[in-house]
Amino acid sequence: GDSVTQMEGPVTLSEEAFLTINCTYTATGYPSLFWYVQYPGEGLQLLLKATKADDKGSNKGFEATYRKETTSFHLEKGSVQVSDSAVYFCAHNKGGYQKVTFGTGTKLQVIP
Amino acid sequence: GAGVSQSPRYKVAKRGQDVALRCDPISGHVSLFWYQQALGQGPEFLTYFQNEAQLDKSGLPSDRFFAERPEGSVSTLKIQRTQQEDSAVYLCASTPSRGERNTEAFFGQGTRLTVV
């Protein structure tokens, strides 16, 4: 069945370090891909998305490229900040409506 | 309001008790979704409404779970005879469209249900 697999956390980085959170998916057809972020005490927020192969989504210094050949959508940021500390969820949807399948989440902690 | 609002934020229920969780979507949003997020897991789809019509309830884990959206705006998720395994955060999301695949879903902060 459809699924999303992302690297387990927690991930602990020093401020200004490079971040990669791996995400791979299985789905029939051509899903749209998303990264959602959940800051402490807040609801899920869309961070970025890509709707077709080779698209790059970007927001707040984060980027992810839709790689159809490797069924991946890895999240990257060149220089993380303490304020990036949150849980990050990779997700996809392919249904005729926005039924989103989420990964288990990766907790990121950035220390000064 | 400006975003999706859920109430209560926290609910503690004794095993066997019935609970009702409320979701106020963004005004005018057509589609509404409920998700269940267990501790340390990603959200799992429960059910979907388009206006007042419940078009998909395939994710509801048992017949103790029931959702409604009678006037196409506010939705209520009801859980009867709660069990400990129902303990989770219940998330509501809405979108302005009829759920086209590229549309961003706006999530509420969730209701954390603890069954004791």
Side-chain angles (χ1 to χ4, degrees):
Chain A
D2 296 341
S3 65
V4 176
T5 303
Q6 59 184 106
M7 63 188 288
E8 291 190 16
V11 173
T12 302
L13 295 174
S14 298
E15 207 165 20
E16 300 184 3
F18 184 85
L19 169 71
T20 299
I21 301 178
N22 290 337
C23 171
T24 57
Y25 67 90
T26 59
T28 56
Y30 300 96
S32 293
L33 303 176
F34 307 88
W35 277 99
Y36 280 85
V37 59
Q38 190 169 35
Y39 298 103
E42 299 185 16
L44 279 169
Q45 302 174 26
L46 180 66
L47 179 61
L48 53 84
K49 68 179 182 182
T51 59
K52 60 183 187 296
D54 300 324
D55 266 5
K56 178 185 285 187
S58 61
N59 186 26
K60 299 182 181 180
F62 291 88
E63 293 183 340
T65 301
Y66 190 140
R67 300 290 188 198
K68 184 171 178 291
E69 64 277 11
T70 55
T71 62
S72 65
F73 193 54
H74 304 320
L75 182 68
E76 297 182 336
K77 186 174 185 181
S79 176
V80 293
Q81 305 301 311
V82 172
S83 58
D84 295 327
S85 298
V87 181
Y88 292 81
F89 293 91
C90 186
H92 72 52
N93 92 302
K94 66 176 186 68
Y97 53 89
Q98 186 80 354
K99 177 181 177 177
V100 180
T101 300
F102 289 88
T104 54
T106 303
K107 183 175 182 178
L108 170 66
Q109 182 177 13
V110 180
I111 55 178
Chain B
V4 178
S5 177
Q6 293 187 244
S7 61
R9 287 290 312 279
Y10 304 93
K11 176 69 178 177
V12 178
K14 291 185 178 179
R15 191 158 56 98
Q17 186 179 355
D18 296 349
V19 299
L21 313 179
R22 177 187 171 104
C23 172
D24 281 88
I26 294 173
S27 179
H29 277 198
V30 171
S31 296
L32 184 146
F33 304 80
W34 283 98
Y35 290 84
Q36 180 190 58
Q37 186 177 13
L39 188 64
Q41 300 296 314
E44 296 278 349
F45 171 81
L46 293 177
T47 186
Y48 162 69
F49 290 85
Q50 188 179 108
N51 296 309
E52 70 279 2
Q54 188 175 20
L55 299 187
D56 188 340
K57 53 182 181 179
S58 62
L60 296 177
S62 78
D63 58 8
R64 296 185 295 104
F65 286 71
F66 172 76
E68 61 183 5
R69 194 186 184 197
E71 297 179 357
S73 55
V74 171
S75 177
T76 303
L77 176 66
K78 297 179 179 178
I79 309 173
Q80 297 176 324
R81 304 181 304 282
T82 52
Q83 303 294 316
Q84 284 191 317
E85 62 264 26
D86 300 334
S87 295
V89 176
Y90 291 85
L91 297 169
C92 178
S94 70
T95 76
S97 70
R98 284 173 170 73
E100 288 81 5
R101 56 194 292 276
N102 302 331
T103 306
E104 175 182 353
F106 294 85
F107 282 82
Q109 290 183 291
T111 295
R112 181 178 297 277
L113 172 66
T114 303
V115 181
V116 297

